Amino acid sequence: MPTTKPSELRKLPVSELQKRIQDTKKELMELRFQSSIGQLDKNHRVSQAKREIARMLTVLSEKARGVEAGEAEAKPAPVQKPRAKKA
C-alpha cells in the first residue's frame, strides 16, 4: 500500500479511515512476523507502516476534535519563559 498524504486522508469519511487503520495494523503484524523469522526483504516497510498508522490516527483525532484542514498548522508556537540560572 503506497503512502497517502494527510490532505487525501482528510477527505475520507471516519469509517474508511478506521478500516484503513485496521488493515495497516494487520499488515504491520504480518511484517513483524516475517521479520522475526527472517523472511522480510524490505525492512523499511515496518517503519513505513508505523508512520502510515500514526498519520491516519492523527487525521482521525483531528476529525474527532473538529479541527479544520490547515487550522492546526496556523497556531503559533507557545512562548517559553526564560529559566533562572543556577549559581
Side-chain angles (χ1 to χ4, degrees), residues 10-63:
R10 287 185 181 102
K11 296 175 187 175
L12 297 174
V14 173
S15 59
E16 177 66 25
L17 271 174
Q18 291 172 337
K19 182 182 179 305
R20 284 190 180 200
I21 290 169
Q22 187 178 24
D23 292 343
T24 309
K25 283 185 176 182
K26 286 181 183 177
E27 179 187 357
L28 179 61
M29 184 184 68
E30 292 171 6
L31 289 170
R32 285 181 173 159
F33 180 72
Q34 288 177 1
S35 177
S36 68
I37 60 174
Q39 290 183 346
L40 186 62
D41 294 332
K42 299 178 182 178
N43 294 329
H44 69 282
R45 205 42 212 127
V46 173
S47 59
Q48 276 183 346
K50 286 181 184 180
R51 284 191 194 109
E52 288 174 23
I53 292 169
R55 196 174 289 127
M56 289 184 274
L57 287 172
T58 300
V59 172
L60 193 62
S61 68
E62 285 177 358
K63 286 182 178 250

Side-chain angles (χ1 to χ4, degrees), residues 4 14 41 52 65 73 80:
T4 309
V14 173
D41 294 332
E52 288 174 23
R65 289 183 290 145
E73 294 86 17
Q80 293 182 347

